[in-house]
Amino acid sequence: MDELNGRARAATITALFLLFSFYAPAASAQTFAKGADVSWITQMEASGYRWQNDNGTQQDLLQILKDHGMNTIRLRVWVNPSGGWNGVNDVVAKAIRAKNAGFRIMIDFHYSDSWADPGQQTKPAAWRTHTFEQLMADVYQHTFNTMNTLATNGIFPEWVQVGNETNNGMLWEDGRASANMRNYAWLVNSGYDAVKAVSPNSKVIVHVSNGYDNALFRWNFDGLRSNGARWDIIGMSLYPEPGNWQTLNSQTLANMNDMRSRYGKGVMIVEVGMSWDQPTASKAFLQDIIAKTRAAGGLGVLYWEPQAYNWQGYSKGAWNTNGRPTIALDAFIEGSTPPPPGNSVTLQENLTGFCGVDGTVDSNHAGYTGTGFANSNNATNAGVRWRVNAIAAGNYTLQWRFANGTTGNRPGSLRVNGTTVSTVALPATGAWTTWTNSASVTVALRAGANDIALVATTSGGLANVDSLTVNGSGASASACN
Ligand code: GCU
Ligand code: CA
Ligand code: CA
């Protein structure tokens, strides 16, 4: 299509659909998304694949996923794929099927004729000789046309990914982030604008792999931000091994908290997977990352192609070779299993979760942990504040490390979410360099963010406070407002 004609037509259709999409059903934004990318489903069915439920009865794959607690289907789009799989017609057919089955929908634009990921961001053949200006128009047109075709079929996806695992940008070389961050940002904006032109309520995701790699995410999104890019949600992939998922999940939690506070955007785990033949480890990994994503205020967790078994050499599905799901898929059925036990978090003055002191953060008395301690003003009502996330409502145990070089008690009134619940004694320890733990206090926390404060009840102020440790299932640090 001639570019100018295309733009003129796009403008007309945009106007029509702007009108239209205000009547589209409101996105059910409040519920946690659990789901799967099943883009291979039609190709697998065409080669004779069928799936069975836990009891060995053959069923529609989407029904099996729904019966395992899933509510979301993700679908990738390729520009002009050989064979047609993941081209616009195939995507629309799958989206209609998912919508009719009651699923929420995420569309994932690769801007390639085949796989786009951290190792390859190959331009579609039809765009190969285009200038950068043309590439921006290509991204806009392809995104607009695909969204438009979906809209014509009554589908306004709740989420749309502009690019897939764009760790180093997209449409190489022009959009290679390390070489030209501005081009990457402008391509993201081309996609963003096209999505919103057709479906203003759709949330635009920029997606980077290795959700545990905070430095990578800061580099990518700092670059996008400083070049004026627009996006709504930060998407992450996570593919750990049975031996390192605990470490990577904790790092991913920290990264999710950092992304939320640094950019003020939602976060979502848009791809996870683990080897299908390690179902016990995979289930534990999934339960934990779902709990941590909830704790971080994240928006959802999606498994990548769980239905793959004996298929194209892909080993990170969640299906047995007998056609039934592995137990890993049960992780998406929440409520049946408690969150992982024994999580504890220590909040330090230099870390997320420390929300300030009426006084100073000092480091002049040895023996503290972290980078120092909170020295409150010597006055009644001088306080120290923290914020803690609880996966679920329940009892959590709080304990402070402190030093008090005076001869008297320097107690603190404990306030949880604004309510005074008890008084914590912080008695003399003999010297300002002698640190000790307070008695522990068990308090009820609500699910999600909780504000915790110690406030001086005497004119001497508080003792010096080194840290707060929170013990209990699924406690984590939460960014302060
Ligand atoms: C000393 C001490 C401080 C402490 C203060 C107090 O100045 O160095 O760390 O906070 O006494 O009495 O509160
Ligand atoms: Ca003091
Ligand atoms: Ca400290």
Side-chain angles (χ1 to χ4, degrees):
M1 186 192 327
D2 167 307
E3 197 193 313
L4 281 178
N5 273 339
R7 283 204 177 164
R9 206 183 71 151
T12 316
I13 301 172
T14 304
L16 275 176
F17 274 93
L18 270 173
L19 257 182
F20 226 96
S21 39
F22 288 126
Y23 297 97
S28 38
Q30 296 318 308
T31 358
F32 194 76
K34 292 184 286 181
D37 190 316
V38 295
S39 300
W40 266 326
I41 183 175
T42 42
Q43 190 180 0
M44 291 181 78
E45 285 173 342
S47 9
Y49 272 78
R50 297 294 182 268
W51 294 272
Q52 297 170 18
N53 65 17
D54 292 327
N55 303 321
T57 307
Q58 188 180 306
Q59 268 184 324
D60 186 280
L61 173 63
L62 299 187
Q63 186 62 48
I64 300 173
L65 297 178
K66 185 182 274 187
D67 290 341
H68 285 79
M70 291 187 170
N71 55 31
T72 297
I73 291 295
R74 177 179 186 256
L75 301 168
R76 64 178 161 273
V77 185
W78 288 339
V79 174
N80 189 19
S82 67
W85 303 114
N86 307 303
V88 63
N89 293 339
D90 179 45
V91 172
V92 168
K94 289 179 290 198
I96 291 172
R97 182 167 160 189
K99 186 190 178 215
N100 289 343
F103 285 90
R104 299 152 74 185
I105 293 171
M106 180 185 297
I107 295 294
D108 171 17
F109 285 98
H110 282 227
Y111 302 119
S112 192
D113 291 334
S114 183
W115 305 105
D117 55 40
Q120 52 193 346
Q121 295 282 339
T122 309
K123 284 176 201 164
W127 307 357
R128 204 151 287 160
T129 60
H130 289 182
T131 64
F132 181 69
E133 291 293 316
Q134 288 173 318
L135 286 176
M136 287 197 294
D138 291 333
V139 166
Y140 188 95
Q141 283 300 320
H142 166 67
T143 307
F144 187 92
N145 291 343
T146 306
M147 292 293 296
N148 198 11
T149 310
L150 287 164
T152 309
N153 286 280
I155 291 161
F156 296 86
E158 191 168 333
W159 308 272
V160 180
Q161 274 192 225
V162 170
N164 189 72
E165 296 192 327
T166 53
N167 298 19
N168 195 11
M170 63 175 83
L171 293 167
W172 291 346
E173 292 296 323
D174 304 64
R176 187 185 284 274
S178 54
N180 195 326
M181 191 61 86
R182 190 210 68 165
N183 280 5
Y184 169 42
W186 287 18
L187 291 167
V188 167
N189 281 348
S190 300
Y192 179 98
D193 290 341
V195 170
K196 301 286 180 173
V198 177
S199 180
N201 292 333
S202 295
K203 298 278 182 274
V204 170
I205 300 176
V206 173
H207 169 210
V208 170
S209 80
N210 295 349
Y212 53 84
D213 188 348
N214 180 245
L216 168 65
F217 277 73
R218 282 189 170 206
W219 175 77
N220 193 297
F221 288 98
D222 277 4
L224 286 178
R225 181 167 63 180
S226 62
N227 285 280
R230 295 183 292 282
W231 75 93
D232 302 313
I233 293 171
I234 292 174
M236 305 180 174
S237 307
L238 186 60
Y239 291 92
E241 301 297 328
N244 68 5
W245 66 260
Q246 283 100 334
T247 306
L248 297 190
N249 280 13
S250 294
Q251 292 169 347
T252 301
L253 172 62
N255 189 34
M256 285 192 279
N257 283 326
D258 184 56
M259 290 297 103
R260 286 195 66 201
S261 60
R262 191 174 181 87
Y263 305 107
K265 307 287 186 185
V267 295
M268 194 163 177
I269 310 279
V270 297
E271 288 187 19
V272 292
M274 189 182 277
S275 193
W276 72 275
D277 59 359
Q278 300 283 337
T280 306
S282 181
K283 183 180 175 186
F285 153 63
L286 291 168
Q287 287 177 322
D288 186 67
I289 197 63
I290 290 169
K292 283 186 164 58
T293 304
R294 284 187 183 280
L299 301 170
V301 176
L302 310 189
Y303 201 103
W304 199 77
E305 305 278 14
Q307 81 285 4
Y309 65 95
N310 294 337
W311 174 257
Q312 300 204 2
Y314 187 66
S315 63
K316 296 194 173 180
W319 233 267
N320 288 302
T321 51
N322 65 6
R324 303 184 195 184
T326 74
I327 58 162
L329 216 59
D330 294 344
F332 290 90
I333 308 170
E334 290 176 281
S336 53
T337 29
N343 282 19
S344 85
V345 61
T346 295
L347 305 175
Q348 293 284 8
E349 55 289 327
N350 62 328
L351 298 177
T352 299
F354 179 79
C355 306
V357 53
D358 300 321
T360 53
V361 171
D362 291 350
S363 55
N364 58 335
H365 301 305
Y368 55 80
T369 57
T371 58
F373 54 88
N375 171 0
S376 74
N377 297 330
N378 295 16
T380 309
N381 287 333
V384 189
R385 293 170 293 279
W386 298 267
R387 183 172 280 194
V388 171
N389 243 301
I391 287 177
N395 285 337
Y396 291 75
T397 301
L398 312 180
Q399 193 166 35
W400 290 266
R401 192 165 184 271
F402 72 99
N404 178 354
T406 72
T407 52
N409 187 11
R410 292 277 192 91
S413 168
L414 172 57
R415 301 196 184 153
V416 176
N417 299 321
T419 302
T420 302
V421 296
S422 63
T423 300
V424 180
L426 302 173
T429 58
W432 291 110
T433 49
T434 303
W435 299 87
T436 188
N437 288 325
S438 72
S440 53
V441 185
T442 299
V443 296
L445 298 184
R446 64 191 179 202
N450 290 266
D451 288 312
I452 293 172
L454 270 189
V455 177
T457 61
T458 66
S459 58
L462 297 168
N464 289 341
V465 179
D466 179 25
S467 61
L468 162 62
T469 295
V470 182
N471 273 295
S473 288
S476 61
S478 177
C480 309
N481 278 345

